[in-house]
Amino acid sequence: MLKEKSIFIYALLAALLMPAGIDLVVAVLPEIGKETSSPSLMLSLFFLGASAGYAYWGGEYDKRGGRHVLMKASICLISSMSLMFVPLGFEVVLLSRAIQGFAVAGLGLAAVSIIKDNVEPDNVPGRMGQLNGFMNMAPAIMPSLSVGLLAISGEWKSSFVLFALLSAAFLLLVVLTTSPATFKHTSSPHCSWLSLLSNKPFMGWAIFPAVSLGILFMYCAFLAELMTEFYALPLTHFTLFFAINVFLMFLTGQCLSFLFTRWGARKVFLLGVCLSGVSPWLLLNPSTLSALLGLTLYCVSFIVIISSSYGIALSHISEGVGRANAIISMMQMFAGALLTGLISLYQGVDLLYCFSACIVVLAILGLARIHNTREKSNDHI
């Protein structure tokens, strides 16, 4: 059995392939748009494939364990990449993207499930914070790599060559350095979806990582428009602000282990809720500096809320860890689709008010959750 730090490294490397599959493509969408009128389908089908993948891989993890899912999903991902280079039209490329989403869902789900099964319960929220912190560094690194490859090769598909190489390297690492006994796993093939969905403490906390990520998707989708059009800041300022926020989210994730040890996950969650509740009032302030501070405060609160609530939700699960993570992940995809859909309904200042309202609702729900569970010891992990 590996030490906890080694287990975390495997989980981290697996989880990072999910944002890599998104951010490597985002940067070259304009180039892809020269070949098709619907480049955004590259992302839409990726998320659609991921949604289906979570349902499948959740059951696979509960039956066969983490190593099996890591290897099988990696092979599926590498195989799907070969379709990108089959000269049969853009439809085959879109099919490949759907399969890629399906495969990376398995890697992401296995990463979180392995942490839950192999890390001390008190350390799970802290490790989740570190995982989320590292994953939020991907948007600051992957697009630059993608643009660099495009400049060198002149071909947007070079990004997928890099993606395939990263996937192959991870598969090789798992095959050569692990065995079926490496990752602890309690087989629970007969744990039903219904029993998890009817687990009120679990579902009560699972709402928060789902809604939090949905709001973050919304934030990422309209941040550039907000800063350049509403606050009238140049695009260079947006890039700098985005990089600073990503770095602060990374630092927050690394500090959470200390906070969880000192305060417990529930108090840390309350801290995140309070920070998020303050941010809308700064956002709506006429001062640009105040608004930027509000956005930064929101980003920090996101890491705190999603890490603590995810850890607390999983603390209520004794079996069916794979399916439990699948439920949370599918809720996140649904929330992301729903909240980003609001962008098409609101523009300018109305969109800012909508975004702020979503944060306020999340804060109110968080305070209500803390109040309703204050007497339940299981939440004090």
Side-chain angles (χ1 to χ4, degrees):
M1 192 70 67
L2 293 177
K3 294 182 179 179
E4 184 176 303
K5 288 184 178 179
S6 300
I7 293 290
F8 177 73
I9 291 174
Y10 282 103
L12 174 62
L13 293 175
L16 286 175
L17 288 173
M18 168 63 97
I22 300 170
D23 297 317
L24 284 172
V25 176
V26 169
V28 295
L29 281 180
E31 191 70 20
I32 298 173
K34 297 177 181 178
E35 298 183 18
T36 176
S37 59
S38 304
S40 61
L41 285 176
M42 295 280 283
L43 291 176
S44 300
L45 287 173
F46 182 88
F47 287 123
L48 184 63
S51 298
Y54 287 125
Y56 173 76
W57 296 114
E60 278 292 290
Y61 180 89
D62 289 338
K63 293 177 185 177
R64 308 288 294 276
R67 186 175 188 267
H68 172 80
V69 171
L70 292 177
M71 292 175 60
K72 191 173 179 179
S74 297
I75 293 171
C76 180
L77 180 57
I78 297 167
S79 300
S80 70
M81 229 81 72
S82 63
L83 290 176
M84 301 290 296
F85 302 93
V86 176
L88 293 178
F90 194 71
E91 292 77 10
V92 178
V93 173
L94 294 178
L95 173 63
S96 172
R97 284 297 288 168
I99 299 174
Q100 288 169 37
F102 179 88
V104 297
L107 295 172
L109 183 142
V112 178
S113 300
I114 286 171
I115 289 176
K116 161 63 178 172
D117 277 341
N118 293 269
V119 172
E120 290 296 321
D122 289 348
N123 296 339
V124 169
R127 290 299 184 185
M128 289 298 299
Q130 292 178 324
L131 188 71
N132 286 316
F134 276 107
M135 288 180 69
N136 280 286
M137 289 293 288
I141 299 173
M142 293 301 176
S144 299
L145 291 176
S146 187
V147 171
L149 287 172
L150 177 62
I152 294 171
S153 67
E155 175 58 63
W156 60 264
K157 289 185 180 179
S158 59
S159 296
F160 291 94
V161 175
L162 174 61
F163 193 24
L165 290 175
L166 292 174
S167 305
F170 176 72
L171 174 61
L172 193 63
L173 176 70
V174 173
V175 171
L176 296 180
T177 63
T178 67
S179 69
T182 299
F183 305 114
K184 185 172 65 176
H185 166 248
T186 303
S187 179
S188 50
H190 303 299
C191 178
S192 70
W193 294 95
L194 183 59
S195 65
L196 293 170
L197 291 171
S198 59
N199 184 332
K200 292 182 179 180
F202 165 69
M203 292 300 297
W205 284 105
I207 292 172
F208 295 98
V211 176
S212 297
L213 193 64
I215 296 176
L216 183 72
F217 284 161
M218 185 182 184
Y219 165 81
C220 293
F222 89 104
L223 179 61
E225 176 188 348
L226 175 69
M227 294 190 66
T228 57
E229 296 187 15
F230 184 70
Y231 295 129
L233 295 174
L235 192 59
T236 52
H237 287 197
F238 158 72
T239 305
L240 177 62
F241 176 74
F242 186 77
I244 292 173
N245 269 5
V246 167
F247 182 66
L248 285 175
M249 292 167 79
F250 169 76
L251 286 182
T252 303
Q254 306 319 302
C255 293
L256 282 180
S257 292
F258 172 77
L259 291 179
F260 286 130
T261 302
R262 292 291 298 272
W263 296 352
R266 210 165 157 273
K267 288 184 179 178
V268 174
F269 174 78
L270 179 60
L271 171 65
V273 166
C274 292
L275 291 176
S276 67
V278 172
S279 62
W281 310 110
L282 294 172
L283 280 173
L284 299 174
N285 191 295
S287 166
T288 300
L289 180 62
S290 175
L292 295 181
L293 179 60
L295 289 172
T296 301
L297 198 61
Y298 160 71
C299 289
V300 171
S301 70
F302 161 76
I303 291 292
V304 175
I305 291 173
I306 195 171
S307 303
S308 55
S309 59
Y310 212 130
I312 296 174
L314 292 181
S315 72
H316 293 282
I317 299 297
S318 57
E319 60 177 2
V321 174
R323 288 179 174 86
N325 278 307
I327 288 172
I328 295 176
S329 298
M330 286 188 285
M331 289 170 64
Q332 288 176 326
M333 292 295 105
F334 176 77
L338 179 64
L339 293 178
T340 52
L342 294 176
I343 296 175
S344 62
L345 300 177
Y346 297 96
Q347 299 296 328
V349 66
D350 291 334
L351 186 55
L352 178 59
Y353 279 115
C354 179
F355 174 66
S356 300
C358 289
I359 298 176
V360 170
V361 170
L362 176 66
I364 292 173
L365 289 174
L367 291 174
R369 186 64 189 168
I370 287 289
H371 176 75
N372 291 337
T373 60
R374 66 186 185 279
E375 300 298 332
K376 297 183 179 180
S377 60
N378 279 349
D379 293 339
H380 294 265
I381 63 172

